[in-house]
Amino acid sequence: MHRSFARRSFLAAGAAVSAGLATGTARAADSRTESGSWPTGFPLPGGFQPEGIAIGGAPYAYFGSLAGGDLYRASLATGAGAVVPSGLGAAHPTAGLKINDHGRLYLAGAASREIRVASVRGGRLRIERTYVVGSEGTMVNDVVLTPGAAWFTDSYKAQLYGVALGARGEPGQSWTLPLAGEWEQGPDFTANGIARTPDGRGLIVVNTVAGGGSLMRVEPRTGVARAVDLGGATVPNGDGILLLGRILYVAQQWQNAIDVFRLDAAGTRGVAVGRITDPRFRIPTTIAAYRDRLYLPNARFDVEAPTPETDYDAVAVPRL
């Protein structure tokens, strides 16, 4: 059995949490242009081990830490930010996350098996509700918000987790959706990023095993999955995905690239329309957008044993 790079990366991050986490404030890198535009890159705290990113309607990004579960809130206008303490500790990491219009953060708890719903008030993270899902070996990896539910992937089980959302995005009942149809569950790390289809009727999930790395369209009522026809293109290192209109951005972490596809309305077919690369990419994992930019944390999964001094950052690149 060959263990995937992605699985080794998560295991390495988990093994390194005992090294500790810097909880100071990182100063903005002086990466602004002479025209005074917003920075195209900024530092994250040493040892933070970022994986997910969320940006809402305001120009602030939230980053989740695999090494302790804290969040880091950064201003996109200046690049300055600070850790938002959660007090949860190394047993409660944060992988993917999303923020809704009411300021609630939905956090994927990785190997803790937790789904956490939180808000940031008074400079601290307040956990409103926690769900424990799956079973031994579960890894809650990424999340997407739809009008009626928050959906989470499990990288080691052929299932998704749903949390019902109220009128103001408040969390309700949770449930498990087994995956069927063409879903191929590998012996190792399989599901990764998740997004909605352009018509809003289905879900798109990265499957790192099927077809050498593919996108699967999942019917949210039945769990039936069908491979998205990408015209022969594959996403073997696909991690976080972001849908803007009909354009789907796929972070190909170990390729240090973002592959870009134009989907049909139902999300059954896609055409590759471009690739974004940048010399500053150091294994970017997830993507969020603000105005005409994409923002990505560099997870640096190639660092096998991160320390509190290991440097991390986030970068911004133009949207296609």
Side-chain angles (χ1 to χ4, degrees), residues 31-118:
S31 54
R32 291 177 291 181
T33 65
E34 292 182 356
S35 64
S37 63
W38 289 3
T40 59
F42 46 85
L44 302 177
F48 190 75
Q49 296 183 47
E51 203 279 342
I53 181 175
I55 299 175
Y60 294 93
Y62 291 87
F63 300 88
S65 169
L66 292 174
D70 285 340
L71 300 185
Y72 182 81
R73 182 178 184 266
S75 166
L76 302 182
T78 66
V83 169
V84 182
S86 67
L88 294 178
H92 305 274
T94 299
L97 64 157
K98 292 292 187 294
I99 187 168
N100 67 15
D101 293 339
H102 301 283
R104 283 189 176 87
L105 288 154
Y106 283 78
L107 312 174
S112 72
R113 297 172 46 200
E114 294 173 346
I115 290 171
R116 299 188 294 272
V117 185

Side-chain angles (χ1 to χ4, degrees), residues 94-303:
T94 299
L97 64 157
K98 292 292 187 294
I99 187 168
N100 67 15
D101 293 339
H102 301 283
R104 283 189 176 87
L105 288 154
Y106 283 78
L107 312 174
S112 72
R113 297 172 46 200
E114 294 173 346
I115 290 171
R116 299 188 294 272
V117 185
S119 59
V120 177
R121 296 180 182 177
R124 295 191 66 86
L125 184 69
R126 185 174 73 88
I127 304 297
E128 297 180 356
R129 190 162 181 179
T130 298
Y131 306 81
V132 179
V133 297
S135 57
E136 184 178 357
T138 283
M139 179 172 286
V140 188
N141 191 332
D142 208 351
V143 54
V144 66
L145 302 182
T146 72
W151 289 98
F152 295 79
T153 57
D154 186 332
S155 292
Y156 290 99
K157 311 285 184 180
Q159 55 199 28
L160 303 179
Y161 306 110
V163 174
L165 301 183
R168 295 180 59 84
E170 66 273 18
Q173 182 179 359
S174 67
W175 68 95
T176 299
L177 179 70
L179 296 172
E182 296 177 2
W183 184 265
E184 181 181 346
Q185 184 68 26
D188 213 313
F189 191 104
T190 301
N192 211 325
I194 185 170
R196 297 173 67 191
T197 57
D199 64 9
R201 297 181 179 180
L203 301 168
I204 297 174
V205 180
V206 173
N207 186 307
T208 62
V209 174
S214 62
L215 302 176
M216 308 292 288
R217 186 194 185 280
V218 176
E219 168 55 53
R221 292 175 300 174
T222 65
V224 172
R226 297 284 184 263
V228 179
D229 182 359
L230 297 179
T234 60
V235 289
N237 302 139
D239 198 329
I241 58 178
L242 175 69
L243 181 75
L244 298 175
R246 290 195 181 184
I247 300 299
L248 185 74
Y249 296 90
V250 181
Q252 293 259 51
Q253 46 167 261
W254 285 86
Q255 298 181 35
N256 285 316
I258 305 169
D259 283 339
V260 188
F261 299 90
R262 183 182 299 276
L263 303 181
D264 64 2
T268 59
R269 294 183 177 84
V271 177
V273 296
R275 166 171 272 214
I276 301 171
T277 60
D278 192 289
R280 298 171 299 155
F281 284 168
R282 297 188 293 175
I283 311 184
T285 46
T286 48
I287 313 169
Y290 193 81
R291 296 182 179 172
D292 59 350
R293 288 181 175 181
L294 305 175
Y295 290 84
L296 304 90
N298 278 317
R300 302 199 65 194
F301 284 158
D302 56 332
V303 179

